Amino acid sequence: MIPQLHRASSTSDVLRYLYGPGEGGNHTSPRLIAGDVHGAPIEQLAGPDSLPDLAHALGEPVERLGANAPKQPAWVCSVRSDPRRPDLTDSQWAAVARRLVAAAGIAPEGDPDACRWVAVRNQPRQLYVVATLAREDGSLHNAYRDAFRLQSECHVLSGEMGHRRTDPYPKLSAEETPVAAPPITITHEFSGSVVAKGANDDLSASLLKHAGFQQTQDWYGRRHRLPTTTPVTDKVVIATHAAEMLRAARYVVDLSPSLDTARMSSPAQPLGPYAVGAELLQITERIRAAEHGDALERAVDHLLHPEYGALEGVREALEAAGEHINDLDDEAYQLADRFGLAADLVSSAQSELVILEAELRRVRPGQQPRFETLTCSPQLPDSRGAALATSPAAAKVKVGAGTAGSSPAACPSHAPEPRTR
């Protein structure tokens, strides 16, 4: 299954297109097969004559937002199935639609404030899911990484339906030989980023980009990497999917065991023995995902808690290292003093930062990150690669803009004098 994600400024325009003849009259028997518009009777809104009522039912949460509504509130996902396989029934496609809106976060199961959505069919082997980004509680759905979540869920659905092979990668037949190219290595860097090296031709670069890697070009040559902010579980899924596609194209791929879902029962520690570093990366992800001051305060508390926070743990570890160096070698007092000084600096930073925790609650929610969107037209345009993982720079700007005006001036840090023997 191949999902494509679009954004449009009007649900009415999208529905008129889906229920219309389409380009070249290829839309046949358009029909509503599933949906949730929070109380409105779907069965009475299923006919072509009820399109205005259906559009109103979908767009009511957006209308309540007034001037705060986004410019493109319509969320459209189209899904195609393998033309070599039998088409799914309407009930099967309806189940697929529910899986997709749940995976993307549009309508998680059991969420009373979920976004409104409908699923429409008008062609064989194709499904359209139309939703609005406004939730029932007045907030907006965060569409960041929706494309990747949809790609991952379609990958799982294809396996469950038997539409893709289940062996790790296809084996070469006697008359086939691998592509004459250097091996492609997909591994972790110490920083936590996942890097693919050796993909120097256009085909391998295109496959990596489709999987979700970002391409960089410098004096080292062409390289591909995932942003360090990509969640750990997503890194494993993206890397495994990239290796599957490359191997299917007859490339030799060396995939790190910690990124290979076929060789692990659960996601492995991406930083190997540096488990504490991996936990700090998770704290970083929670901070970047915070949408308001309270959430940011809860995430930062993992750093600043006076007893169990990460900074307190770092301070104690540095202090213990300095003391133990003295125990092992009393002539290494200068090295021990450096560790002690570092512990004192961390303690000073704790005392300065802890007074800012109350200010975090006053941080206002920023605007939603800007995304590359597509406006609906009489012919829906082709979408971007569904697996692209975009760097969340907008999220960083959002947090920075929220705290700039409310944080008090930092107190000057007073570094203590080095200890003497």
Side-chain angles (χ1 to χ4, degrees), residues 297 353-363:
E297 182 192 11
L353 292 173
V354 72
I355 64 175
L356 304 181
E357 284 192 280
E359 298 290 334
L360 293 176
R361 302 191 193 102
R362 298 166 54 187
V363 176

mmCIF file of all heavy atoms in Angstrom, residues 297 353-363:
data_model
loop_
_atom_site.group_PDB
_atom_site.id
_atom_site.type_symbol
_atom_site.label_atom_id
_atom_site.label_comp_id
_atom_site.label_asym_id
_atom_site.label_seq_id
_atom_site.Cartn_x
_atom_site.Cartn_y
_atom_site.Cartn_z
ATOM 1 N N GLU A 297 7.508 22.197 31.455
ATOM 2 C CA GLU A 297 7.989 22.121 32.838
ATOM 3 C C GLU A 297 8.157 20.666 33.286
ATOM 4 O O GLU A 297 9.141 20.312 33.938
ATOM 5 C CB GLU A 297 7.017 22.848 33.764
ATOM 6 C CG GLU A 297 7.468 22.846 35.215
ATOM 7 C CD GLU A 297 6.373 23.306 36.166
ATOM 8 O OE1 GLU A 297 5.223 23.415 35.714
ATOM 9 O OE2 GLU A 297 6.670 23.534 37.340
ATOM 10 N N LEU A 353 19.060 27.613 37.431
ATOM 11 C CA LEU A 353 17.958 27.157 36.588
ATOM 12 C C LEU A 353 16.704 26.812 37.373
ATOM 13 O O LEU A 353 15.596 26.910 36.853
ATOM 14 C CB LEU A 353 18.406 25.931 35.771
ATOM 15 C CG LEU A 353 19.469 26.189 34.701
ATOM 16 C CD1 LEU A 353 19.929 24.874 34.091
ATOM 17 C CD2 LEU A 353 18.927 27.097 33.607
ATOM 18 N N VAL A 354 16.873 26.401 38.628
ATOM 19 C CA VAL A 354 15.704 25.946 39.373
ATOM 20 C C VAL A 354 14.723 27.086 39.617
ATOM 21 O O VAL A 354 13.504 26.872 39.715
ATOM 22 C CB VAL A 354 16.156 25.312 40.708
ATOM 23 C CG1 VAL A 354 16.653 26.375 41.693
ATOM 24 C CG2 VAL A 354 15.012 24.509 41.324
ATOM 25 N N ILE A 355 15.215 28.341 39.678
ATOM 26 C CA ILE A 355 14.305 29.461 39.898
ATOM 27 C C ILE A 355 13.482 29.783 38.652
ATOM 28 O O ILE A 355 12.541 30.557 38.716
ATOM 29 C CB ILE A 355 15.088 30.719 40.337
ATOM 30 C CG1 ILE A 355 16.034 31.177 39.213
ATOM 31 C CG2 ILE A 355 15.838 30.474 41.632
ATOM 32 C CD1 ILE A 355 16.748 32.473 39.517
ATOM 33 N N LEU A 356 13.860 29.185 37.518
ATOM 34 C CA LEU A 356 13.138 29.445 36.274
ATOM 35 C C LEU A 356 12.008 28.457 36.036
ATOM 36 O O LEU A 356 11.235 28.627 35.092
ATOM 37 C CB LEU A 356 14.103 29.395 35.082
ATOM 38 C CG LEU A 356 15.308 30.322 35.133
ATOM 39 C CD1 LEU A 356 16.137 30.170 33.874
ATOM 40 C CD2 LEU A 356 14.867 31.758 35.286
ATOM 41 N N GLU A 357 11.883 27.417 36.891
ATOM 42 C CA GLU A 357 10.873 26.398 36.633
ATOM 43 C C GLU A 357 9.467 26.988 36.649
ATOM 44 O O GLU A 357 8.617 26.638 35.832
ATOM 45 C CB GLU A 357 10.999 25.275 37.667
ATOM 46 C CG GLU A 357 12.160 24.338 37.410
ATOM 47 C CD GLU A 357 12.080 23.096 38.275
ATOM 48 O OE1 GLU A 357 12.454 23.170 39.445
ATOM 49 O OE2 GLU A 357 11.643 22.045 37.755
ATOM 50 N N ALA A 358 9.196 27.898 37.589
ATOM 51 C CA ALA A 358 7.857 28.489 37.648
ATOM 52 C C ALA A 358 7.563 29.315 36.408
ATOM 53 O O ALA A 358 6.410 29.397 35.961
ATOM 54 C CB ALA A 358 7.733 29.358 38.897
ATOM 55 N N GLU A 359 8.594 29.910 35.822
ATOM 56 C CA GLU A 359 8.391 30.712 34.616
ATOM 57 C C GLU A 359 7.986 29.853 33.426
ATOM 58 O O GLU A 359 7.360 30.343 32.488
ATOM 59 C CB GLU A 359 9.675 31.479 34.278
ATOM 60 C CG GLU A 359 10.115 32.471 35.336
ATOM 61 C CD GLU A 359 9.187 33.662 35.430
ATOM 62 O OE1 GLU A 359 8.534 33.959 34.414
ATOM 63 O OE2 GLU A 359 9.116 34.281 36.500
ATOM 64 N N LEU A 360 8.351 28.569 33.438
ATOM 65 C CA LEU A 360 8.034 27.708 32.307
ATOM 66 C C LEU A 360 6.528 27.552 32.127
ATOM 67 O O LEU A 360 6.047 27.353 31.016
ATOM 68 C CB LEU A 360 8.679 26.328 32.495
ATOM 69 C CG LEU A 360 10.209 26.294 32.458
ATOM 70 C CD1 LEU A 360 10.708 24.893 32.753
ATOM 71 C CD2 LEU A 360 10.723 26.770 31.119
ATOM 72 N N ARG A 361 5.782 27.639 33.230
ATOM 73 C CA ARG A 361 4.326 27.472 33.121
ATOM 74 C C ARG A 361 3.699 28.616 32.334
ATOM 75 O O ARG A 361 2.601 28.490 31.818
ATOM 76 C CB ARG A 361 3.691 27.418 34.508
ATOM 77 C CG ARG A 361 4.227 26.322 35.398
ATOM 78 C CD ARG A 361 3.351 26.172 36.637
ATOM 79 N NE ARG A 361 4.008 25.361 37.642
ATOM 80 C CZ ARG A 361 4.606 25.875 38.711
ATOM 81 N NH1 ARG A 361 4.599 27.179 38.907
ATOM 82 N NH2 ARG A 361 5.194 25.101 39.584
ATOM 83 N N ARG A 362 4.392 29.741 32.255
ATOM 84 C CA ARG A 362 3.836 30.913 31.579
ATOM 85 C C ARG A 362 4.164 30.922 30.090
ATOM 86 O O ARG A 362 3.755 31.843 29.373
ATOM 87 C CB ARG A 362 4.386 32.175 32.236
ATOM 88 C CG ARG A 362 3.986 32.297 33.700
ATOM 89 C CD ARG A 362 4.810 33.354 34.421
ATOM 90 N NE ARG A 362 4.752 34.632 33.739
ATOM 91 C CZ ARG A 362 5.485 35.678 34.086
ATOM 92 N NH1 ARG A 362 6.324 35.578 35.098
ATOM 93 N NH2 ARG A 362 5.384 36.813 33.417
ATOM 94 N N VAL A 363 4.904 29.914 29.633
ATOM 95 C CA VAL A 363 5.246 29.867 28.212
ATOM 96 C C VAL A 363 3.981 29.585 27.417
ATOM 97 O O VAL A 363 3.283 28.603 27.657
ATOM 98 C CB VAL A 363 6.305 28.779 27.938
ATOM 99 C CG1 VAL A 363 6.579 28.688 26.445
ATOM 100 C CG2 VAL A 363 7.583 29.106 28.682
#
